[in-house]
Amino acid sequence: MADAAPAGGRGGFRGGFGGARGGRGGPRGRGRGRGRGRGRGKEDQKEWIPVTKLGRLVRDGKIRSLEEIYLFSLPIKEFEIIDFFIGPSLKDEVLKIMPVQKQTRAGQRTRFKAFVAIGDSNGHIGLGVKCSKEVATAIRGAIILAKLSVVPVRRGYWGNKIGKPHTVPCKVTGKCGSVTVRLIPAPRGTGIVSAPVPKKLLQMAGIEDCYTSARGSTGTLGNFAKATYAAIAKTYAYLTPDLWKEMPLTKTPYQEFADYLAKSHRPVSGQRPAEAGL
Amino acid sequence: MSHVDLGFPLECEPWRLQSYHFPSKIGGKPAWLILGDLPPPEALQCDLCHHPLIFLCQIYAPFEESEANFHRTIFIFICRDPKCCVRNSNCNIKAFRCSLPRENKFYSFEPPEDKKDATFSVEKWSKLCSVCGCLGSKVCGRCKVVNYCSREHQMVDWKEGHKSECGVAGVDKDRVSFKLFPQFELVIEGEPHNERNVDEKEEMRKFEEMESGGKIGTMSDVAECDMEQYAICDSDKAFTRFKERIADNSDQVLRYERGGQPLWIANEPKPDFIPECEYCMRPRQYEFQIMPQMLTALHENELDFGVIVVYSCTDSCTEGIAYKNEFVFKQDVSTNC
């Protein structure tokens, strides 16, 4: 008859969702308990199941590179997308961990704030900050936020085009609120001339030489960050002479695959070959 | 203390998902509970394009305290046209609730055996559309053997193979239309409770250990306010919380907690008003939600949603028609970064 332990009061019928509770977690004699292979606790690397449409397209391999996503300015909400493309080459660096305290009626509540910078020394950087009750959780959360904030950095030359690009391609300014941040190309060997934090960011991006100039009211939280990122993002937005050639317009990934799927209208993975009808 | 049941997809033999096993499943054709008085085609139309909706999933969720709800299933239907997927609108989704007492004319009083029952047939009670499995009141004009729910599905079936068999060969009862989603069983597991009581003193001690080891960051001398200016902070806290909550069971496709709170995927929009049950006028409460991982499990690339939250009648009233409409709220992932 019924294979699993029958639920009390139902005379042998299986329960469904919201049925009687047994122990904590795991299969409780309802359903089939046919060993989904679970209940073994957290094992090795779990497979990423995407939650957003962009995530699904990335997982299926429909998007060729991270640059395609930047090209269309699609919001990236899942850090696994970044991991998928440049994960192996990303290096994270914990910049600072500090305890922050809040006064509550029951005394002081201490949490830990972690700043983590992430970059692949090849044109991508991100900086994340996370506050949490545990140090390890704060670091992990900050790494995730850093990955989500990754931006592409374009590098160019100061003078002769010998060797690899080592500086920003041109003078770029980013502005947010009253804060303006300006990045200026520098000759080889200059190093990065700037405040400590943008210096670290530019270094991790792979820029070797750069002059910077910042201006504005420093009290505004986040504005310096956004201004710096705006300046860096502008490196790709500036139309330099070598980009004057006409390029054909391409479709956004959503549009491109909508057409492909509408035309072929076949499930991506094969359906079950035979299914008894009712 | 919340007790959430999670649903996970699992491949299984088709006969286990027939009505007499009272299954919870996704994809394929609906396994109706009450085999007569099925929802008519007019009730199963997309609000936007007026084409027939396709079965998405059903859950078997009986009320243990109510005899009239000894068997109880909720069915969800969705329109497969991606153009009907309007952000944060439920116009392409419909939910139906159905209840049966243990003593009824369709099924045995005793629980079903764990094997295929060849005598069972829905045809005794209602004719079903051969494409989608819903009520099929129309019939093929030529051979008068196959039923359809609408003209659209008749045209679909014609192209998919009925053209060659109409009136000539035997009708292929095993043909699965491309309109349907791939079929899986829904396995129920409880969400494990992760209460981690953090010991503040312990954490502080760990921190001091790291400090003396020189591991608290390569730029620990930079002031906090200087550092914070350069960091982009988390702008979508609801999404982050969503990801953290599902992290341990990331392949879940359904969350069930009758009377609980939904796990939102974005801060807004949230429903400001839940309509009351249109049959008994009592209020509705949250029952379960469908997660976006269901789209991945079904290999679906065109449709998109964040979470589909279903609210049902608090009393699960049983008077009136067999399949009662319930309120559905769809929330999409927010687009700001």
Side-chain angles (χ1 to χ4, degrees):
Chain A
M1 269 290 213
D3 42 351
R10 284 184 61 85
F13 276 98
R14 261 192 310 137
F17 282 89
R21 316 237 155 261
R24 296 175 70 194
R28 288 111 141 242
R30 281 184 290 115
R32 296 207 172 273
R34 264 183 293 155
R36 285 175 63 248
R38 313 189 89 253
R40 277 184 267 145
K42 275 195 270 262
E43 291 193 340
D44 45 283
Q45 203 61 352
K46 284 231 192 87
E47 218 188 286
W48 165 44
I49 312 272
V51 151
T52 54
K53 184 162 187 183
L54 186 62
R56 266 172 256 133
L57 288 174
V58 165
R59 186 95 162 75
D60 283 344
K62 296 260 170 23
I63 305 218
R64 283 165 286 268
S65 72
L66 197 53
E67 271 54 44
E68 242 181 75
I69 304 181
Y70 291 136
L71 184 65
F72 297 106
S73 308
L74 300 169
I76 300 177
K77 303 206 84 95
E78 298 189 77
F79 72 93
E80 292 98 337
I81 294 175
I82 307 283
D83 263 341
F84 186 86
F85 290 113
I86 56 176
S89 52
L90 278 177
K91 278 186 206 16
D92 55 84
E93 190 172 316
V94 177
L95 298 182
K96 189 177 172 74
I97 309 175
M98 45 180 287
V100 285
Q101 286 172 335
K102 183 174 115 167
Q103 195 70 290
T104 62
R105 254 180 290 150
Q108 287 196 325
R109 185 189 72 164
T110 312
R111 295 205 300 172
F112 297 94
K113 196 160 178 176
F115 294 85
V116 172
I118 201 163
D120 66 348
S121 300
N122 197 22
H124 296 99
I125 41 163
L127 172 60
V129 56
K130 177 93 181 164
C131 202
S132 172
K133 285 191 274 217
E134 290 173 41
V135 176
T137 318
I139 296 178
R140 237 182 295 135
I143 293 180
I144 291 177
L145 287 170
K147 287 186 182 159
L148 285 177
S149 64
V150 161
V151 284
V153 181
R154 185 176 179 204
R155 292 157 297 167
Y157 298 95
W158 173 79
N160 291 329
K161 294 188 178 44
I162 309 169
K164 290 249 159 234
H166 61 102
T167 183
V168 280
C170 53
K171 290 182 190 166
V172 283
T173 349
K175 187 168 157 64
C176 184
S178 71
V179 178
T180 58
V181 168
R182 191 176 191 211
L183 305 177
I184 298 147
R188 271 189 209 278
T190 316
I192 301 179
V193 181
S194 103
V197 179
K199 175 170 179 171
K200 172 67 73 175
L201 291 179
L202 293 167
Q203 265 173 346
M204 290 188 86
I207 292 181
E208 294 157 21
D209 315 284
C210 189
Y211 293 119
T212 64
S213 161
R215 199 206 140 89
S217 80
T218 60
T220 336
L221 213 68
N223 275 0
F224 252 132
K226 295 190 189 130
T228 314
Y229 272 73
I232 289 170
K234 285 255 187 78
T235 59
Y236 264 114
Y238 194 93
L239 198 68
T240 53
D242 53 292
L243 293 175
W244 283 354
K245 186 162 162 260
E246 286 253 339
M247 293 281 181
L249 289 171
T250 48
K251 292 183 176 165
T252 73
Y254 295 147
Q255 184 60 39
E256 183 178 333
F257 294 108
D259 288 351
Y260 158 74
L261 290 161
K263 251 190 297 155
S264 50
H265 198 69
R266 219 170 284 124
V268 173
S269 173
Q271 278 201 346
R272 299 154 69 76
E275 226 171 309
L278 281 166
Chain B
M1 199 60 46
S2 61
H3 299 277
V4 181
D5 279 342
L6 304 177
F8 298 92
L10 189 67
E11 293 223 357
C12 97
E13 307 94 322
W15 58 264
R16 281 193 196 275
L17 300 176
Q18 299 279 336
S19 298
Y20 57 92
H21 281 298
F22 307 107
S24 295
K25 70 187 195 101
I26 54 179
K29 293 182 182 168
W32 300 108
L33 184 64
I34 292 182
L35 303 178
D37 196 17
L38 296 182
E42 302 82 57
L44 283 170
Q45 269 182 2
C46 171
D47 287 346
L48 274 186
C49 67
H50 302 293
H51 283 206
L53 300 175
I54 300 294
F55 173 71
L56 178 65
C57 74
Q58 69 184 75
I59 65 165
Y60 180 67
F63 274 27
E64 313 235 316
E65 64 273 16
S66 160
E67 270 190 28
N69 285 295
F70 188 84
H71 297 299
R72 178 172 173 273
T73 310
I74 301 188
F75 299 82
I76 310 286
F77 293 83
I78 196 170
C79 180
R80 279 200 84 158
D81 189 348
K83 293 192 221 65
C84 294
C85 267
V86 178
R87 272 189 69 81
N88 297 318
S89 160
N90 61 0
C91 51
N92 59 337
I93 308 169
K94 296 242 185 307
F96 293 94
R97 169 177 59 84
C98 177
S99 310
L100 256 194
R102 185 169 176 179
E103 183 77 50
N104 61 78
K105 59 182 175 175
F106 304 107
Y107 309 106
S108 150
F109 190 80
E110 293 306 319
E113 293 187 359
D114 193 26
K115 61 176 174 40
K116 184 168 180 173
D117 179 0
T119 61
F120 179 80
S121 157
V122 187
E123 309 290 321
K124 278 187 276 195
W125 307 97
S126 307
K127 292 270 176 274
L128 298 180
C129 172
S130 88
V131 168
C132 67
C134 300
L135 185 67
S137 39
K138 302 183 173 47
V139 78
C140 171
R142 278 225 308 206
C143 63
K144 309 228 191 298
V145 171
V146 189
N147 293 84
Y148 300 109
C149 64
S150 60
R151 194 171 143 65
E152 286 94 352
H153 283 185
Q154 186 225 356
M155 294 198 289
V156 164
D157 198 32
W158 186 257
K159 270 191 258 170
E160 283 182 355
H162 190 61
K163 179 170 177 179
S164 46
E165 62 188 21
C166 183
V168 180
V171 171
D172 178 10
K173 285 207 184 296
D174 291 344
R175 183 167 58 234
V176 176
S177 168
F178 284 119
K179 280 239 167 240
L180 299 177
F181 290 110
Q183 184 166 249
F184 297 93
E185 183 186 10
L186 264 182
V187 175
I188 308 166
E189 282 183 29
E191 186 178 47
H193 294 130
N194 270 341
E195 301 145 29
R196 287 145 48 224
N197 284 320
V198 181
D199 184 4
E200 273 196 22
K201 291 204 188 24
E202 173 72 22
E203 285 301 314
M204 198 63 203
R205 192 192 59 77
K206 278 193 209 153
F207 174 74
E208 273 150 23
E209 217 173 85
M210 289 173 80
E211 192 171 12
S212 54
K215 290 212 196 76
I216 50 163
T218 51
M219 299 181 72
S220 42
D221 45 324
V222 178
E224 175 196 356
C225 45
D226 286 341
M227 188 75 83
E228 186 125 51
Q229 291 156 5
Y230 293 94
I232 307 281
C233 53
D234 189 5
S235 54
D236 196 353
K237 288 212 162 32
F239 188 83
T240 314
R241 244 177 274 139
F242 177 90
K243 288 279 275 185
E244 275 170 18
R245 187 82 188 264
I246 66 167
D248 287 337
N249 299 286
S250 56
D251 49 341
Q252 63 191 251
V253 292
L254 195 135
R255 289 177 76 85
Y256 184 99
E257 189 187 17
R258 180 157 52 106
Q261 287 298 317
L263 180 65
W264 297 109
I265 201 171
N267 270 321
E268 45 154 34
K270 292 195 184 147
D272 36 35
F273 164 67
I274 315 238
E276 44 193 26
C277 173
E278 55 220 46
Y279 306 95
C280 67
M281 302 311 155
R282 298 296 308 287
R284 283 195 171 114
Q285 64 180 355
Y286 165 71
E287 183 157 3
F288 68 96
Q289 67 185 80
I290 297 178
M291 305 290 269
Q293 290 93 317
M294 185 176 280
L295 293 169
T296 315
L298 297 174
H299 307 292
E300 175 64 37
N301 274 330
E302 296 180 354
L303 296 179
D304 189 27
F305 56 79
V307 288
I308 296 178
V309 180
V310 180
Y311 295 87
S312 65
C313 174
T314 316
D315 298 331
S316 192
C317 55
T318 46
E319 301 299 315
I321 61 175
Y323 288 88
K324 301 183 181 57
N325 237 305
E326 294 292 13
F327 179 66
V328 168
F329 186 83
K330 180 174 87 157
Q331 194 189 50
D332 280 299
V333 180
S334 77
T335 44
N336 58 319
C337 214

